[in-house]
Amino acid sequence: MKSINTTHKMIKLISQKMENQKKISNLFFVMLLILSVSSIAFGQLKTDFYKNTCPNVESLVRSAVRLKFQQTFVTAPATLRLFFHDCFVRGCDASMLLSSPNGKAEKDHPDNLSLAGDGFDTVVKAKAAVDSDSKCRNKVSCADILALATREVVAMTGGPFYPVELGRRDGKVSTLTSVQHQLPGEGFNLDQLNTMFARRGLSQTDMIALSGAHTLGFSHCNRVSKRLYNFSPKSSVDPTLNKAYVAQLKQMCPLRVDPRIAINMDPTTPNTFDNAYYKNLQQGKGLFVSDQILFTDSRSRNTVNLFASNNDAFKQAFATAMTKLGRVGVLTGNQGEIRFDCTRPN
């Protein structure tokens, strides 16, 4: 009887072990499947994707973006930020451009309400320019137009001109809830930043290079007031901030000021895409905690120092990171659609 019980126990243990191994192998298979599907998707992206359907797509987008940029400089930071926010939520599928009649789309989330309208308008105008060519009409996705427009504004402000992979299709879904916890916050530390970017296949170097986009554009007083007036129980002002910069920020953002008042992300050359952002970090002039942490944390400081001392190294790293960002969660082939109107599904 005892030996029968022992045998039963052994059989049970063996079967449990086999079951566990089966679960592990199944999990491994699922992970491999996810990786292979995502690599197949961005593997279908190529720089000459439209060579037969819309060969002059790049010049059409460039002309429209240049015209918009001449009307207002905000076009540049707004388009760049729109691309980043779109790719980080549901992947680069132009779902950020979709409107909802009841205010439940991605663009309606509090994290996206500060996206300047000029970014959306840039894509709409570039789409109209592409569709004005009968050969191109309804052949180019809004996601690809946004990716091309972003490269153009970066180049127009002095940044790198890099090849843009094309072949994305547009998503049909845009929900408010999908934005939750998907975008980096201004109070993030290095671990939080690295984790969020790693989930999208981006390294720490990619993250630091993409943060350099803060060399353009502006934020608002309500985003920095905590660092100036209510940082911690020990110190009302964030001690990592440069004292002269604190005085400058307090002048622009006094207590109880209109929270919508805009302040430049880069206090030195806000209209030029350059490495001044990293030089500012070296001096304690990062506007957000998530900016300054890149210098105060020893694990990322060397990269900041490299980019601060070598503008070419920064631009090269930025171009590489933008290419990788442009592959995140893309829809290709028969997935998604080519939207006729960027603001709503067909």
Side-chain angles (χ1 to χ4, degrees), residues 145-181:
I145 289 171
L146 173 56
L148 285 168
T150 302
R151 188 267 309 274
E152 294 306 326
V153 297
V154 167
M156 283 174 198
T157 49
F161 184 89
Y162 51 91
V164 177
E165 295 175 338
L166 302 166
R168 299 167 194 80
R169 289 178 57 94
D170 298 322
K172 301 176 185 180
V173 179
S174 182
T175 64
L176 195 83
T177 50
S178 61
V179 183
Q180 207 64 24
H181 310 304

Side-chain angles (χ1 to χ4, degrees), residues 258-318:
D258 184 337
R260 294 165 300 179
I261 294 289
I263 36 174
N264 288 326
M265 294 293 297
D266 172 358
T268 50
T269 57
N271 292 356
T272 308
F273 193 100
D274 57 18
N275 63 341
Y277 167 80
Y278 302 100
K279 294 175 182 176
N280 294 334
L281 298 186
Q282 290 175 323
Q283 296 167 40
K285 294 179 181 178
L287 189 63
F288 295 156
V289 168
S290 57
D291 292 314
Q292 197 56 50
I293 199 70
L294 302 181
F295 185 73
T296 54
D297 195 308
S298 59
R299 294 171 294 170
S300 47
R301 189 180 300 141
N302 287 344
T303 308
V304 170
N305 288 337
L306 168 67
F307 292 164
S309 64
N310 190 330
N311 198 25
D312 288 337
F314 159 52
K315 287 181 178 179
Q316 195 174 340
F318 184 82

Side-chain angles (χ1 to χ4, degrees), residues 87-295:
C87 290
F88 257 56
V89 180
R90 306 187 75 92
C92 310
D93 66 346
S95 53
M96 196 63 71
L97 294 159
L98 289 171
S99 296
S100 160
N102 55 4
K104 292 287 174 69
E106 286 173 32
K107 67 193 294 189
D108 302 308
H109 190 278
D111 289 351
N112 289 322
L113 291 178
S114 62
L115 287 171
D118 286 299
F120 295 92
D121 190 48
T122 300
V123 182
V124 168
K125 284 188 162 59
K127 163 79 169 160
V130 171
D131 284 351
S132 69
D133 184 320
S134 58
K135 194 175 182 184
C136 301
R137 190 167 301 129
N138 299 328
K139 301 274 176 62
V140 183
S141 68
C142 300
D144 278 346
I145 289 171
L146 173 56
L148 285 168
T150 302
R151 188 267 309 274
E152 294 306 326
V153 297
V154 167
M156 283 174 198
T157 49
F161 184 89
Y162 51 91
V164 177
E165 295 175 338
L166 302 166
R168 299 167 194 80
R169 289 178 57 94
D170 298 322
K172 301 176 185 180
V173 179
S174 182
T175 64
L176 195 83
T177 50
S178 61
V179 183
Q180 207 64 24
H181 310 304
Q182 296 304 313
L183 293 163
E186 60 264 22
F188 271 24
N189 62 32
L190 189 69
D191 290 324
Q192 289 171 307
L193 288 168
N194 279 336
T195 301
M196 185 164 274
F197 279 72
R199 271 194 237 130
R200 291 153 180 88
L202 298 159
S203 68
Q204 178 175 287
T205 303
D206 295 327
M207 179 271 291
I208 298 168
L210 289 170
S211 298
H214 285 174
T215 184
L216 297 176
F218 54 86
S219 186
H220 299 90
C221 287
N222 61 335
R223 297 283 186 177
V224 291
S225 59
K226 189 176 190 294
R227 290 188 81 194
L228 301 175
Y229 301 106
N230 187 28
F231 184 68
S232 72
K234 288 182 182 176
S235 171
S236 59
V237 178
D238 184 343
T240 64
L241 272 171
N242 176 296
K243 286 183 172 59
Y245 188 44
V246 169
Q248 190 184 336
L249 288 173
K250 282 187 169 182
Q251 205 172 1
M252 290 186 286
C253 298
L255 272 169
R256 289 178 289 281
V257 71
D258 184 337
R260 294 165 300 179
I261 294 289
I263 36 174
N264 288 326
M265 294 293 297
D266 172 358
T268 50
T269 57
N271 292 356
T272 308
F273 193 100
D274 57 18
N275 63 341
Y277 167 80
Y278 302 100
K279 294 175 182 176
N280 294 334
L281 298 186
Q282 290 175 323
Q283 296 167 40
K285 294 179 181 178
L287 189 63
F288 295 156
V289 168
S290 57
D291 292 314
Q292 197 56 50
I293 199 70
L294 302 181
F295 185 73

